[in-house]
Amino acid sequence: MNANTATAGGGVPEGAAGDTTGGTGSATEGAATGGKSAGASGTSGIPAGADQVGAAAGRGERIWLLLRSVGGQNLGLTGALVLVLTLFGWLNPAYLTWANIKVIGDAVTISGLLALVQTVVIICGALDISVGSQVGVASVVSAMVFTSTGGNALLGIAAALGAGLLAGLLNGAVIVFGRVNPVIATLATLAAYKGVAQLLSKGAAQGYVSNDDVFVFLANGSIAGIPVLLWVLAAVTLAIHLLLKSTDIGRNIYAIGGNDTAARLAGIDINKYLIAVYGLAGVVAAGAGVLLTARTGFGHPVSGSEGLELKAITAAALGGCLLAGGKGGVGGTLLAITLLGALDNGLTVQGVNPFWQNVAQGALLVVAVVIQKRRAGERAVGLPT
């Protein structure tokens, strides 16, 4: 750039631009150098092959930027998912059939909805351990209202979503106004909501929805060859992604989780956001409860929903959500819950004791937290710095 500037302003011969080694040679030497380079490459002052090298470097830089945008965490999850699919597909060819892939997708939908909304809660710097019990309440309510109204599916679904919203807002209110730690508060409501579901249903499955067109469509219908359950998961994924990445609300949620003191000084109403986030969690959990009712044909107070909270938290942590808050996204969570679903299904297909699934989930959660702590540079508890 300096040589070209000199040419324009001081009458230095055009060939002088060929001297790019520091500008210490004469103009004549520069002209000779420029001429030699031009003869070798066909372009003035550019060595032979430099354009190919530059193009390759440009492609390499674009690939590197793409990999950075995807993220090392997501690449690792993708690799692990491919490994799991390959391993179980090799062990049992039936594993990779379309019928079994649909089974994995159906199972992933319910736990995936909870993992996605758990991602929002964790980014906000909190935690919701009660989502599994909220699924049970919503499942029972949807089936019981459906039955009591003479088979009105829409009323049953609306009642379930309303119950989920109420449960979520109650969680937020206990945390905000009772000043209770989110873990303790939702641990308490985990037991409380489970008891509510059992009281409403008298501990037994309620209703029968498999003869209703709406519930059958939710459970077994498809659009463009893709199951409705996966369309629901995709729609919620897109909505939460846009909320977090494209709105002021999402940016404020990240700010609260990253540094609540700074967020408060910036004028963000943290209490309002916490209550709203838990309300959102309740609604999405209720939607998962409705899908559970549609899939099984009955409203279940516990069966089908127990343990979902652990799976949701594990998926969010594996997906890159910092449990301290302020970091995470739906892409990693979706990959993680798909990995967990593929692993659970593979173990089932191989006839492995299902209790090992809980062992695997617990181990993966520990691994995810250890990785987070290592990346944060935190010292081990009780050991010198």
Side-chain angles (χ1 to χ4, degrees):
M1 183 178 293
N2 292 336
N4 291 335
T5 304
T7 302
V12 181
E14 183 178 355
D19 184 8
T20 57
T21 58
T24 56
S26 66
T28 304
E29 292 170 340
T33 305
K36 186 181 295 184
S37 298
S41 65
T43 56
S44 177
I46 302 178
D51 50 348
Q52 290 88 347
V53 174
R59 286 193 297 270
E61 184 177 356
R62 287 193 295 272
I63 293 173
W64 171 244
L65 290 175
L66 177 62
L67 293 177
R68 286 190 61 185
S69 65
V70 172
Q73 187 99 12
N74 292 347
L75 288 174
L77 288 172
T78 302
L81 178 59
V82 170
L83 180 62
V84 167
L85 293 175
T86 303
L87 174 62
F88 286 114
W90 175 70
L91 292 173
N92 190 334
Y95 178 76
L96 290 179
T97 60
W98 176 242
N100 191 59
I101 290 174
K102 286 182 65 177
V103 171
I104 296 175
D106 289 350
V108 162
T109 297
I110 293 176
S111 55
L113 291 175
L114 298 184
L116 289 170
V117 79
Q118 190 74 251
T119 297
V120 180
V121 176
I122 292 175
I123 290 173
C124 199
L127 200 65
D128 191 348
I129 304 177
S130 69
V131 287
S133 293
Q134 292 179 56
V135 170
V137 171
S139 178
V140 168
V141 168
S142 64
M144 292 183 70
V145 172
F146 170 80
T147 302
S148 63
T149 57
N152 193 319
L154 296 181
L155 276 179
I157 294 171
L161 295 177
L165 176 61
L166 181 62
L169 292 176
L170 181 59
N171 278 345
V174 169
I175 293 167
V176 169
F177 300 114
R179 301 187 180 186
V180 181
N181 181 280
V183 175
I184 302 301
T186 56
L187 184 62
T189 55
L190 166 70
Y193 295 152
K194 180 178 179 180
V196 169
Q198 291 171 325
L199 287 171
L200 289 174
S201 64
K202 297 181 174 58
Q206 294 291 318
Y208 180 73
V209 302
S210 291
N211 57 356
D212 179 79
D213 292 341
V214 174
F215 282 107
V216 169
F217 178 70
L218 288 175
N220 302 314
S222 62
I223 301 174
I226 300 175
V228 170
L229 290 171
L230 292 182
W231 281 112
V232 172
L233 180 62
V236 174
T237 300
L238 179 61
I240 292 180
H241 175 75
L242 293 176
L243 172 71
L244 291 175
K245 300 297 184 179
S246 303
T247 68
D248 290 337
I249 294 174
R251 285 184 280 272
N252 290 342
I253 289 174
Y254 277 103
I256 293 170
N259 190 327
D260 59 346
T261 301
R264 185 179 292 107
L265 293 176
I268 299 174
D269 190 337
I270 296 179
N271 291 344
K272 179 177 71 175
Y273 271 88
L274 277 174
I275 293 175
V277 164
Y278 276 100
L280 174 65
V283 171
V284 175
V290 170
L291 295 181
L292 176 63
T293 301
R295 283 188 62 205
T296 59
F298 295 93
H300 293 273
V302 177
S303 176
S305 61
E306 197 167 32
L308 288 176
E309 55 282 332
L310 174 62
K311 185 169 290 187
I313 294 171
T314 302
L318 279 175
C321 283
L322 190 64
L323 293 180
K327 181 181 178 182
V330 299
T333 298
L334 199 60
L335 277 172
I337 199 65
T338 304
L339 172 62
L340 291 175
L343 179 61
D344 288 349
N345 181 269
L347 294 174
T348 301
V349 168
Q350 288 303 115
V352 177
N353 189 324
F355 296 144
W356 281 107
Q357 296 177 12
N358 294 330
V359 175
Q361 288 179 34
L364 287 172
L365 180 57
V366 170
V367 169
V369 174
V370 168
I371 291 173
Q372 287 187 12
K373 296 299 183 181
R374 292 293 185 182
R375 286 180 174 176
E378 295 187 19
R379 68 179 178 85
V381 177
L383 296 180
T385 54

